Amino acid sequence: MVSAVAPYMGKYKKYTVIAALLASLGIIASVLPYLFLYQLLEPLTTGQALDFDFILIRVGLILLCEVLYGILYTRGLVFSHISAYNTLKNIRIALQRKLENQPLGNIKEYGTGQLKRVFTDDIDQIELLLAHAIPEGIANLAIPIIVIIALFFVDWRLALLTIATLPFGVFGMSMMMKAGMAKMGAYYDSAKKMNNTIIEYVNGMEAIKVFNKDGDSFRRFGEAVRAYRDFTLDWYRVCWPWMAVYNSVTPCFALFTLPFGGILVLTGVVSLSQLILVLCMSFAIGPALLHALNFGGKIPQLNYKIAELEKMMKHEPVKQGTHGFEGKGYDIEFKNVEFAYNKGEPESGAAPEQQSSQGSETQDPAGSQGSDKAGAKNLQVLHGINLTMKQGTTTALIGESGSGKSTLARLLVHFYDVDGGSISLGGQDITDMSLEALNNQISYVAQEQFLFNTSLYENILIGRPDATREEVLDAACRAQCNEFLARFPKGIDTMAGDSGKQLSGGERQRISLARAILKNAPVIVLDEATAFMDPENEEKMNAAINEIIKDKTVIVIAHRLSSIKNADKICVLKAGNVIAQGNHEELIKSSEEYQTLWKATTAAAEWRIN
């Protein structure tokens, strides 16, 4: 357990050692008063007179020990907490770095609720181990062991009587830990499901209201909460009896010592002063040992949490090299690319492009849980794709939902690793360069863009953090943002709100386009970038897009074929295969699938309510 945490402690490991040492000295200071108490009681058993100075000194020493205990123990806790919270910081940073390099599918598999629990609740629980269980546990366990050894030097019979209750306490502790471990997996699974369900319920509130599914969604919400309650009570119900055993028996070291020790004194086997000394020393054992055993009861939980963290950190990251971009030009080539969404994708088998308009956690407000993916199966999405996209040209990807369009775009920006084949940019395999180097070459504008709860200015600045304010304002202007920025008193310095809630879907897309304009990357991927636009604003957006894609390699994904009619090349995808490619005039003559899609587009444009 400690070995799993130790790599994250770094230079603060010595703080934990100092904390354990100070806590141990504090415990010793708390034990010494019992010896001074014995020195006060022992003369009374022999009828000796006590000198007032002798009494005063012993009382002073007892008070001094109590003060020392408070100072040493408190200072020990200060050091242990400095070490603990710096270690928690290191764990969170290490976990963030691991997640940052993982395929997005792995991250989505956890669900927002589980990630929140891991990053906050579970890691915070490790604080108990680092700040208390290690230093206090060592101190509270070491001192009773030393005292028990000392008891054998006083009298071995009295020592055995003193520790006679210890096996019962240890047995109760071991049974509690055994019972707790058997129930722990189900308990944590129920907690994970409840967290994900609560977040899904909150995020999907709009869809729930619109489709009048309050009852169904609340039923699932209630079932998850009740299941967590039941698993928790079931876990505690098993542990409580054994907890009562060790809590009640462990501190009672005088249980056998007092009656049987009295018999030994009456029979002359041991002296009364020996019995008093052993009793005084036994009073120092109970609280410390019980404190140590209480920490022992937390060890299974902490082991489980650390194992979960380690398991999350051990997922394979996406393959990437250490080279910068060394390609010659910006031609893009997909060569025999195959890809399947593995476990962690929705049970329905829908690829991301099938869900993009529904959100990540609210696909079905009445049915399956978007973040509970235990039954997910592999879904082969792409089958040996071969595509070449020349520098300075615009390539449009079209097809029915689930045909693999957005998957190709995500593979290009290396959200996932391909299962077969390769993708190259300028002749360089994208796995040979670092993610940072690849991302510097590509601007990716998706249908649903996330805005951070900072100012709109800072949200655009993400595109190129070293840009000047004038450049940011120019990018916003070119992305047609000025119209809606004018209605805000603070303009571009207005806060976006949680997930950009201050803006409409189309306005969020224009902010994301401003990011891409500011970034000015040589490759641009537009994944349904005008999906939320009304006709008037779409025309403005298309004008802005046409301006910024000049002399760039552009990939456009769109359902509205009218918006990609003038693309240099149009690729028609169906069930993960490229079934036709060419320009509009060529495809309208040669591709039956394209003809069908084009007719559907024109029919939709001409549709009116009678």
Side-chain angles (χ1 to χ4, degrees):
M1 174 184 63
V2 177
S3 61
V5 180
Y8 305 104
M9 298 177 76
K11 66 179 182 179
Y12 294 98
K13 192 184 299 182
K14 64 182 180 183
Y15 281 62
T16 301
V17 174
I18 294 172
L21 179 61
L22 291 174
S24 298
L25 293 174
I27 296 294
I28 292 174
S30 70
V31 170
L32 289 176
Y34 294 104
L35 295 178
F36 298 137
L37 179 63
Y38 164 72
Q39 292 178 344
L40 291 174
L41 294 176
E42 196 270 338
L44 299 178
T45 63
T46 59
Q48 297 179 18
L50 286 175
D51 182 78
F52 180 76
D53 291 339
F54 180 86
I55 296 173
L56 191 61
I57 291 172
R58 294 308 179 275
V59 171
L61 288 172
I62 290 173
L63 293 175
L64 178 62
C65 286
E66 292 299 331
V67 172
L68 283 174
Y69 165 71
I71 294 173
L72 292 170
Y73 210 81
T74 301
R75 290 302 300 169
L77 289 178
V78 169
F79 277 98
S80 68
H81 279 81
I82 291 174
S83 174
Y85 284 108
N86 278 282
T87 303
L88 299 189
K89 177 203 70 175
N90 293 338
I91 291 175
R92 286 190 171 104
I93 291 174
L95 184 57
Q96 178 267 330
R97 287 173 178 166
K98 292 283 186 179
L99 287 177
E100 197 174 62
N101 292 323
Q102 282 186 29
L104 283 184
N106 285 357
I107 298 174
K108 290 179 180 178
E109 179 181 348
Y110 301 124
T112 311
Q114 185 185 3
L115 286 173
K116 178 263 179 189
R117 178 178 61 83
V118 168
F119 268 95
T120 56
D121 304 341
D122 286 358
I123 293 179
D124 279 342
Q125 286 294 322
I126 298 175
E127 182 266 337
L128 176 67
L129 164 70
L130 300 173
H132 298 278
I134 293 178
E136 292 187 72
I138 291 173
N140 282 285
L141 188 60
I143 302 307
I145 291 174
I146 294 172
V147 173
I148 289 171
I149 293 172
L151 289 178
F152 280 91
F153 285 97
V154 177
D155 185 84
W156 64 272
R157 289 156 295 209
L158 292 175
L160 289 175
L161 287 172
T162 301
I163 64 175
T165 58
L166 191 57
F168 297 99
V170 172
F171 175 74
M173 168 65 70
S174 63
M175 291 302 294
M176 186 196 74
M177 293 175 66
K178 181 179 178 181
M181 288 297 292
K183 299 282 185 180
M184 191 172 296
Y187 164 74
Y188 279 109
D189 284 343
S190 67
K192 177 173 66 176
K193 185 175 181 179
M194 181 185 70
N195 284 335
N196 286 340
T197 302
I198 291 173
I199 290 176
E200 178 189 2
Y201 177 79
V202 174
N203 288 344
M205 191 70 70
E206 181 179 349
I208 291 167
K209 295 292 184 184
V210 168
F211 292 100
N212 198 27
K213 293 296 182 180
D214 301 67
D216 293 334
S217 188
F218 187 75
R219 172 181 53 78
R220 289 171 41 232
F221 177 96
E223 286 174 354
V225 173
R226 284 191 293 271
Y228 176 73
R229 176 202 64 188
D230 294 340
F231 276 114
T232 304
L233 290 176
D234 188 39
W235 187 25
Y236 285 150
R237 195 175 293 114
V238 172
C239 296
W240 276 334
W242 300 113
M243 192 182 301
V245 169
Y246 87 79
N247 270 299
S248 59
V249 174
T250 301
C252 299
F253 284 97
L255 183 64
F256 296 108
T257 307
L258 196 56
F260 293 106
I263 293 174
L264 292 177
V265 171
L266 292 175
T267 56
V269 177
V270 297
S271 66
L272 179 59
S273 61
Q274 286 177 308
L275 177 60
I276 292 174
L277 176 58
V278 168
L279 286 173
C280 288
M281 294 174 71
S282 69
F283 294 147
I285 300 173
L289 192 59
L290 187 61
H291 205 178
L293 289 177
N294 280 333
F295 286 122
K298 303 293 183 182
I299 289 176
Q301 299 177 49
L302 294 167
N303 275 336
Y304 187 91
K305 293 178 186 299
I306 293 171
E308 285 289 297
L309 288 171
E310 290 293 328
K311 183 169 67 175
M312 184 175 287
M313 292 183 183
K314 285 180 180 177
H315 275 299
E316 285 295 322
V318 290
K319 299 172 184 175
Q320 61 172 312
T322 57
H323 300 288
F325 176 66
E326 300 170 352
K328 297 179 179 179
Y330 296 99
D331 289 356
I332 299 169
E333 183 179 10
F334 291 81
K335 189 174 181 180
N336 298 320
V337 171
E338 296 189 359
F339 181 74
Y341 286 102
N342 299 316
K343 183 178 179 181
E345 294 304 313
E347 293 184 22
S348 62
E353 56 261 35
Q354 290 172 294
Q355 322 163 35
S356 57
S357 64
Q358 298 172 330
S360 60
E361 305 244 6
T362 58
Q363 294 98 313
D364 182 4
S368 62
Q369 294 181 25
S371 46
D372 184 9
K373 307 175 179 70
K377 298 180 180 179
N378 289 359
L379 172 66
Q380 190 72 27
V381 179
L382 301 178
H383 307 271
I385 295 290
N386 288 285
L387 274 178
T388 300
M389 305 167 184
K390 293 295 183 181
Q391 176 179 343
T393 64
T394 298
T395 302
L397 304 178
I398 66 169
E400 297 177 346
S401 294
S403 59
K405 308 182 300 297
S406 291
T407 299
L408 279 173
R410 288 182 171 94
L411 289 174
L412 174 61
V413 294
H414 212 169
F415 283 176
Y416 308 89
D417 282 321
V418 298
D419 296 328
S422 64
I423 303 173
S424 63
L425 177 62
Q428 182 182 7
D429 195 307
I430 63 172
T431 60
D432 289 338
M433 65 184 89
S434 67
L435 287 175
E436 182 181 4
L438 176 65
N439 290 335
N440 285 336
Q441 311 308 314
I442 302 175
S443 289
Y444 179 65
V445 183
Q447 174 180 345
E448 184 64 54
Q449 282 289 327
F450 183 84
L451 298 189
F452 295 92
N453 190 14
T454 59
S455 70
L456 298 177
Y457 172 83
E458 290 171 318
N459 270 285
I460 297 174
L461 192 63
I462 291 171
R464 183 157 54 88
D466 61 348
T468 65
R469 185 174 179 87
E470 289 72 22
E471 289 173 323
V472 173
L473 293 173
D474 179 64
C477 178
R478 294 169 64 190
Q480 309 294 315
C481 297
N482 285 353
E483 179 184 348
F484 67 84
L485 290 178
R487 77 169 188 264
F488 297 123
K490 294 185 178 180
I492 201 169
D493 295 309
T494 300
M495 297 297 288
D498 293 334
S499 302
K501 67 180 181 181
Q502 295 280 53
L503 307 180
S504 67
E507 290 167 348
R508 286 196 297 270
Q509 283 188 319
R510 278 184 270 178
I511 291 293
S512 69
L513 183 59
R515 286 176 181 169
I517 293 173
L518 185 65
K519 187 175 182 179
N520 195 29
V523 178
I524 297 177
V525 179
L526 302 172
D527 188 355
E528 290 288 352
T530 60
F532 293 136
M533 293 292 170
D534 55 63
E536 180 183 354
N537 286 320
E538 183 178 3
E539 185 177 345
K540 294 178 182 178
M541 280 287 287
N542 286 334
I545 290 172
N546 289 332
E547 180 184 347
I548 66 169
I549 64 177
K550 291 177 181 178
D551 302 320
K552 299 185 185 298
T553 306
V554 182
I555 299 175
V556 180
I557 299 169
H559 283 96
R560 301 176 187 173
L561 268 61
S562 57
S563 65
I564 52 90
K565 179 181 176 181
N566 297 322
D568 298 298
K569 181 164 66 173
I570 301 172
C571 300
V572 184
L573 281 81
K574 184 173 183 179
N577 295 286
V578 177
I579 61 172
Q581 51 183 307
N583 59 34
H584 173 73
E585 287 75 16
E586 293 169 344
L587 292 176
I588 205 70
K589 296 176 183 178
S590 62
S591 173
E592 184 178 340
E593 185 73 18
Y594 185 78
Q595 293 169 9
T596 302
L597 292 170
W598 181 255
K599 288 177 182 178
T601 298
T602 53
E606 295 170 357
W607 184 84
R608 298 289 186 274
I609 297 177
N610 292 327

PDB file of all heavy atoms in Angstrom, residues 38 57 66 69 108 125 246 251 294 314 417 460 465-466 483 493 521 533 586-587 591 597:
ATOM      1  N   TYR A  38       2.762   5.791  39.009  1.00  0.00           N
ATOM      2  CA  TYR A  38       3.187   4.608  39.780  1.00  0.00           C
ATOM      3  C   TYR A  38       4.124   5.018  40.917  1.00  0.00           C
ATOM      4  O   TYR A  38       4.025   4.499  42.038  1.00  0.00           O
ATOM      5  CB  TYR A  38       3.873   3.612  38.846  1.00  0.00           C
ATOM      6  CG  TYR A  38       4.678   2.574  39.597  1.00  0.00           C
ATOM      7  CD1 TYR A  38       4.046   1.558  40.323  1.00  0.00           C
ATOM      8  CD2 TYR A  38       6.079   2.622  39.598  1.00  0.00           C
ATOM      9  CE1 TYR A  38       4.789   0.613  41.015  1.00  0.00           C
ATOM     10  CE2 TYR A  38       6.823   1.697  40.293  1.00  0.00           C
ATOM     11  CZ  TYR A  38       6.173   0.693  41.005  1.00  0.00           C
ATOM     12  OH  TYR A  38       6.907  -0.235  41.704  1.00  0.00           O
ATOM     13  N   ILE A  57       7.173  17.536  42.286  1.00  0.00           N
ATOM     14  CA  ILE A  57       8.002  17.269  41.105  1.00  0.00           C
ATOM     15  C   ILE A  57       7.300  16.308  40.160  1.00  0.00           C
ATOM     16  O   ILE A  57       7.279  16.513  38.934  1.00  0.00           O
ATOM     17  CB  ILE A  57       9.382  16.717  41.525  1.00  0.00           C
ATOM     18  CG1 ILE A  57      10.195  17.819  42.222  1.00  0.00           C
ATOM     19  CG2 ILE A  57      10.137  16.168  40.308  1.00  0.00           C
ATOM     20  CD1 ILE A  57      11.478  17.319  42.845  1.00  0.00           C
ATOM     21  N   GLU A  66       2.422  16.077  29.375  1.00  0.00           N
ATOM     22  CA  GLU A  66       1.195  16.340  28.623  1.00  0.00           C
ATOM     23  C   GLU A  66       1.396  17.500  27.644  1.00  0.00           C
ATOM     24  O   GLU A  66       0.912  17.473  26.509  1.00  0.00           O
ATOM     25  CB  GLU A  66       0.048  16.650  29.593  1.00  0.00           C
ATOM     26  CG  GLU A  66      -0.397  15.477  30.448  1.00  0.00           C
ATOM     27  CD  GLU A  66      -0.904  14.309  29.631  1.00  0.00           C
ATOM     28  OE1 GLU A  66      -1.439  14.522  28.520  1.00  0.00           O
ATOM     29  OE2 GLU A  66      -0.751  13.165  30.087  1.00  0.00           O
ATOM     30  N   TYR A  69       3.551  16.216  24.854  1.00  0.00           N
ATOM     31  CA  TYR A  69       2.736  15.365  23.970  1.00  0.00           C
ATOM     32  C   TYR A  69       1.950  16.228  22.983  1.00  0.00           C
ATOM     33  O   TYR A  69       1.936  15.959  21.775  1.00  0.00           O
ATOM     34  CB  TYR A  69       1.788  14.520  24.815  1.00  0.00           C
ATOM     35  CG  TYR A  69       0.673  13.879  24.007  1.00  0.00           C
ATOM     36  CD1 TYR A  69       0.942  12.844  23.122  1.00  0.00           C
ATOM     37  CD2 TYR A  69      -0.639  14.335  24.110  1.00  0.00           C
ATOM     38  CE1 TYR A  69      -0.078  12.270  22.366  1.00  0.00           C
ATOM     39  CE2 TYR A  69      -1.657  13.779  23.362  1.00  0.00           C
ATOM     40  CZ  TYR A  69      -1.370  12.735  22.494  1.00  0.00           C
ATOM     41  OH  TYR A  69      -2.374  12.176  21.751  1.00  0.00           O
ATOM     42  N   LYS A 108     -14.011   8.468 -21.919  1.00  0.00           N
ATOM     43  CA  LYS A 108     -15.472   8.433 -21.896  1.00  0.00           C
ATOM     44  C   LYS A 108     -15.993   7.205 -21.170  1.00  0.00           C
ATOM     45  O   LYS A 108     -17.087   7.219 -20.614  1.00  0.00           O
ATOM     46  CB  LYS A 108     -16.006   8.468 -23.328  1.00  0.00           C
ATOM     47  CG  LYS A 108     -15.796   9.806 -24.035  1.00  0.00           C
ATOM     48  CD  LYS A 108     -16.340   9.752 -25.450  1.00  0.00           C
ATOM     49  CE  LYS A 108     -16.130  11.085 -26.160  1.00  0.00           C
ATOM     50  NZ  LYS A 108     -16.622  11.038 -27.557  1.00  0.00           N
ATOM     51  N   GLN A 125      -9.430  10.781   0.035  1.00  0.00           N
ATOM     52  CA  GLN A 125      -9.427   9.722   1.043  1.00  0.00           C
ATOM     53  C   GLN A 125      -8.009   9.235   1.326  1.00  0.00           C
ATOM     54  O   GLN A 125      -7.722   8.752   2.421  1.00  0.00           O
ATOM     55  CB  GLN A 125     -10.294   8.549   0.575  1.00  0.00           C
ATOM     56  CG  GLN A 125     -11.792   8.812   0.648  1.00  0.00           C
ATOM     57  CD  GLN A 125     -12.275   8.963   2.076  1.00  0.00           C
ATOM     58  OE1 GLN A 125     -11.822   8.261   2.977  1.00  0.00           O
ATOM     59  NE2 GLN A 125     -13.185   9.884   2.300  1.00  0.00           N
ATOM     60  N   TYR A 246     -13.893  -5.540  18.513  1.00  0.00           N
ATOM     61  CA  TYR A 246     -12.526  -5.069  18.749  1.00  0.00           C
ATOM     62  C   TYR A 246     -12.505  -3.719  19.464  1.00  0.00           C
ATOM     63  O   TYR A 246     -11.570  -3.419  20.201  1.00  0.00           O
ATOM     64  CB  TYR A 246     -11.726  -5.070  17.447  1.00  0.00           C
ATOM     65  CG  TYR A 246     -11.808  -3.838  16.594  1.00  0.00           C
ATOM     66  CD1 TYR A 246     -11.065  -2.696  16.899  1.00  0.00           C
ATOM     67  CD2 TYR A 246     -12.597  -3.808  15.438  1.00  0.00           C
ATOM     68  CE1 TYR A 246     -11.119  -1.570  16.100  1.00  0.00           C
ATOM     69  CE2 TYR A 246     -12.647  -2.681  14.631  1.00  0.00           C
ATOM     70  CZ  TYR A 246     -11.911  -1.564  14.966  1.00  0.00           C
ATOM     71  OH  TYR A 246     -11.963  -0.454  14.174  1.00  0.00           O
ATOM     72  N   PRO A 251      -9.302  -2.238  24.282  1.00  0.00           N
ATOM     73  CA  PRO A 251      -8.757  -1.350  25.327  1.00  0.00           C
ATOM     74  C   PRO A 251      -8.749  -1.967  26.719  1.00  0.00           C
ATOM     75  O   PRO A 251      -8.125  -1.408  27.630  1.00  0.00           O
ATOM     76  CB  PRO A 251      -9.715  -0.145  25.296  1.00  0.00           C
ATOM     77  CG  PRO A 251     -10.564  -0.311  24.095  1.00  0.00           C
ATOM     78  CD  PRO A 251     -10.610  -1.759  23.794  1.00  0.00           C
ATOM     79  N   ASN A 294      -7.753   1.196  14.583  1.00  0.00           N
ATOM     80  CA  ASN A 294      -8.779   1.936  13.830  1.00  0.00           C
ATOM     81  C   ASN A 294      -8.270   2.341  12.446  1.00  0.00           C
ATOM     82  O   ASN A 294      -9.019   2.330  11.475  1.00  0.00           O
ATOM     83  CB  ASN A 294      -9.212   3.180  14.609  1.00  0.00           C
ATOM     84  CG  ASN A 294     -10.209   2.842  15.711  1.00  0.00           C
ATOM     85  OD1 ASN A 294     -10.931   1.863  15.616  1.00  0.00           O
ATOM     86  ND2 ASN A 294     -10.226   3.637  16.768  1.00  0.00           N
ATOM     87  N   LYS A 314      -2.672   2.984 -15.740  1.00  0.00           N
ATOM     88  CA  LYS A 314      -1.946   1.986 -16.523  1.00  0.00           C
ATOM     89  C   LYS A 314      -2.531   1.771 -17.909  1.00  0.00           C
ATOM     90  O   LYS A 314      -2.022   0.960 -18.670  1.00  0.00           O
ATOM     91  CB  LYS A 314      -1.910   0.652 -15.758  1.00  0.00           C
ATOM     92  CG  LYS A 314      -0.933   0.661 -14.588  1.00  0.00           C
ATOM     93  CD  LYS A 314      -0.915  -0.663 -13.856  1.00  0.00           C
ATOM     94  CE  LYS A 314       0.070  -0.633 -12.690  1.00  0.00           C
ATOM     95  NZ  LYS A 314       0.061  -1.890 -11.914  1.00  0.00           N
ATOM     96  N   ASP A 417      -5.922   5.717 -31.578  1.00  0.00           N
ATOM     97  CA  ASP A 417      -4.964   5.013 -32.427  1.00  0.00           C
ATOM     98  C   ASP A 417      -5.727   4.148 -33.413  1.00  0.00           C
ATOM     99  O   ASP A 417      -6.762   3.548 -33.066  1.00  0.00           O
ATOM    100  CB  ASP A 417      -4.044   4.125 -31.592  1.00  0.00           C
ATOM    101  CG  ASP A 417      -2.942   4.910 -30.899  1.00  0.00           C
ATOM    102  OD1 ASP A 417      -2.407   5.835 -31.530  1.00  0.00           O
ATOM    103  OD2 ASP A 417      -2.627   4.595 -29.741  1.00  0.00           O
ATOM    104  N   ILE A 460     -11.215  32.432 -26.898  1.00  0.00           N
ATOM    105  CA  ILE A 460     -10.643  32.521 -28.244  1.00  0.00           C
ATOM    106  C   ILE A 460      -9.126  32.430 -28.182  1.00  0.00           C
ATOM    107  O   ILE A 460      -8.486  31.793 -29.031  1.00  0.00           O
ATOM    108  CB  ILE A 460     -11.079  33.840 -28.918  1.00  0.00           C
ATOM    109  CG1 ILE A 460     -12.598  33.872 -29.100  1.00  0.00           C
ATOM    110  CG2 ILE A 460     -10.383  34.012 -30.270  1.00  0.00           C
ATOM    111  CD1 ILE A 460     -13.139  35.190 -29.617  1.00  0.00           C
ATOM    112  N   PRO A 465      -2.171  31.119 -27.563  1.00  0.00           N
ATOM    113  CA  PRO A 465      -2.022  31.859 -26.305  1.00  0.00           C
ATOM    114  C   PRO A 465      -1.108  33.070 -26.373  1.00  0.00           C
ATOM    115  O   PRO A 465      -1.226  33.973 -25.544  1.00  0.00           O
ATOM    116  CB  PRO A 465      -1.448  30.799 -25.347  1.00  0.00           C
ATOM    117  CG  PRO A 465      -1.912  29.496 -25.909  1.00  0.00           C
ATOM    118  CD  PRO A 465      -1.888  29.680 -27.396  1.00  0.00           C
ATOM    119  N   ASP A 466      -0.181  33.116 -27.347  1.00  0.00           N
ATOM    120  CA  ASP A 466       0.730  34.250 -27.412  1.00  0.00           C
ATOM    121  C   ASP A 466       0.221  35.363 -28.330  1.00  0.00           C
ATOM    122  O   ASP A 466       0.943  36.329 -28.614  1.00  0.00           O
ATOM    123  CB  ASP A 466       2.113  33.793 -27.876  1.00  0.00           C
ATOM    124  CG  ASP A 466       2.083  33.170 -29.266  1.00  0.00           C
ATOM    125  OD1 ASP A 466       0.975  32.889 -29.777  1.00  0.00           O
ATOM    126  OD2 ASP A 466       3.176  32.935 -29.840  1.00  0.00           O
ATOM    127  N   GLU A 483     -21.472  40.688 -34.065  1.00  0.00           N
ATOM    128  CA  GLU A 483     -22.915  40.925 -33.984  1.00  0.00           C
ATOM    129  C   GLU A 483     -23.468  40.576 -32.605  1.00  0.00           C
ATOM    130  O   GLU A 483     -24.205  41.358 -32.004  1.00  0.00           O
ATOM    131  CB  GLU A 483     -23.621  40.106 -35.063  1.00  0.00           C
ATOM    132  CG  GLU A 483     -25.140  40.273 -35.046  1.00  0.00           C
ATOM    133  CD  GLU A 483     -25.828  39.383 -36.071  1.00  0.00           C
ATOM    134  OE1 GLU A 483     -25.120  38.815 -36.933  1.00  0.00           O
ATOM    135  OE2 GLU A 483     -27.049  39.241 -35.987  1.00  0.00           O
ATOM    136  N   ASP A 493     -15.107  40.589 -23.366  1.00  0.00           N
ATOM    137  CA  ASP A 493     -14.649  40.249 -22.017  1.00  0.00           C
ATOM    138  C   ASP A 493     -15.771  39.664 -21.163  1.00  0.00           C
ATOM    139  O   ASP A 493     -15.599  39.439 -19.963  1.00  0.00           O
ATOM    140  CB  ASP A 493     -14.074  41.483 -21.326  1.00  0.00           C
ATOM    141  CG  ASP A 493     -12.813  41.990 -22.022  1.00  0.00           C
ATOM    142  OD1 ASP A 493     -11.914  41.160 -22.255  1.00  0.00           O
ATOM    143  OD2 ASP A 493     -12.748  43.186 -22.339  1.00  0.00           O
ATOM    144  N   ALA A 521      -3.678  27.337 -38.450  1.00  0.00           N
ATOM    145  CA  ALA A 521      -2.948  26.108 -38.764  1.00  0.00           C
ATOM    146  C   ALA A 521      -3.072  25.798 -40.252  1.00  0.00           C
ATOM    147  O   ALA A 521      -4.052  26.181 -40.898  1.00  0.00           O
ATOM    148  CB  ALA A 521      -3.501  24.953 -37.928  1.00  0.00           C
ATOM    149  N   MET A 533     -26.294  26.790 -37.279  1.00  0.00           N
ATOM    150  CA  MET A 533     -26.497  28.104 -37.878  1.00  0.00           C
ATOM    151  C   MET A 533     -27.861  28.212 -38.569  1.00  0.00           C
ATOM    152  O   MET A 533     -28.295  27.280 -39.246  1.00  0.00           O
ATOM    153  CB  MET A 533     -25.399  28.380 -38.912  1.00  0.00           C
ATOM    154  CG  MET A 533     -24.021  28.522 -38.296  1.00  0.00           C
ATOM    155  SD  MET A 533     -23.926  30.014 -37.298  1.00  0.00           S
ATOM    156  CE  MET A 533     -22.349  29.733 -36.488  1.00  0.00           C
ATOM    157  N   GLU A 586     -19.081  14.961 -61.200  1.00  0.00           N
ATOM    158  CA  GLU A 586     -18.731  13.556 -61.468  1.00  0.00           C
ATOM    159  C   GLU A 586     -19.614  12.601 -60.665  1.00  0.00           C
ATOM    160  O   GLU A 586     -20.109  11.601 -61.194  1.00  0.00           O
ATOM    161  CB  GLU A 586     -17.264  13.316 -61.134  1.00  0.00           C
ATOM    162  CG  GLU A 586     -16.303  14.049 -62.051  1.00  0.00           C
ATOM    163  CD  GLU A 586     -14.871  14.025 -61.552  1.00  0.00           C
ATOM    164  OE1 GLU A 586     -14.656  13.706 -60.356  1.00  0.00           O
ATOM    165  OE2 GLU A 586     -13.961  14.346 -62.345  1.00  0.00           O
ATOM    166  N   LEU A 587     -19.821  12.941 -59.399  1.00  0.00           N
ATOM    167  CA  LEU A 587     -20.587  12.038 -58.543  1.00  0.00           C
ATOM    168  C   LEU A 587     -22.068  12.026 -58.877  1.00  0.00           C
ATOM    169  O   LEU A 587     -22.739  10.994 -58.747  1.00  0.00           O
ATOM    170  CB  LEU A 587     -20.385  12.420 -57.070  1.00  0.00           C
ATOM    171  CG  LEU A 587     -18.980  12.179 -56.503  1.00  0.00           C
ATOM    172  CD1 LEU A 587     -18.891  12.700 -55.076  1.00  0.00           C
ATOM    173  CD2 LEU A 587     -18.631  10.695 -56.528  1.00  0.00           C
ATOM    174  N   SER A 591     -22.462   8.143 -59.120  1.00  0.00           N
ATOM    175  CA  SER A 591     -22.699   7.501 -57.824  1.00  0.00           C
ATOM    176  C   SER A 591     -24.181   7.510 -57.458  1.00  0.00           C
ATOM    177  O   SER A 591     -24.780   8.572 -57.260  1.00  0.00           O
ATOM    178  CB  SER A 591     -21.900   8.212 -56.723  1.00  0.00           C
ATOM    179  OG  SER A 591     -22.246   7.711 -55.444  1.00  0.00           O
ATOM    180  N   LEU A 597     -28.410  10.965 -51.740  1.00  0.00           N
ATOM    181  CA  LEU A 597     -28.155  11.979 -50.713  1.00  0.00           C
ATOM    182  C   LEU A 597     -28.454  13.375 -51.245  1.00  0.00           C
ATOM    183  O   LEU A 597     -28.994  14.223 -50.524  1.00  0.00           O
ATOM    184  CB  LEU A 597     -26.695  11.889 -50.243  1.00  0.00           C
ATOM    185  CG  LEU A 597     -26.301  10.633 -49.459  1.00  0.00           C
ATOM    186  CD1 LEU A 597     -24.788  10.577 -49.268  1.00  0.00           C
ATOM    187  CD2 LEU A 597     -26.987  10.595 -48.101  1.00  0.00           C
TER     188      LEU A 597
END
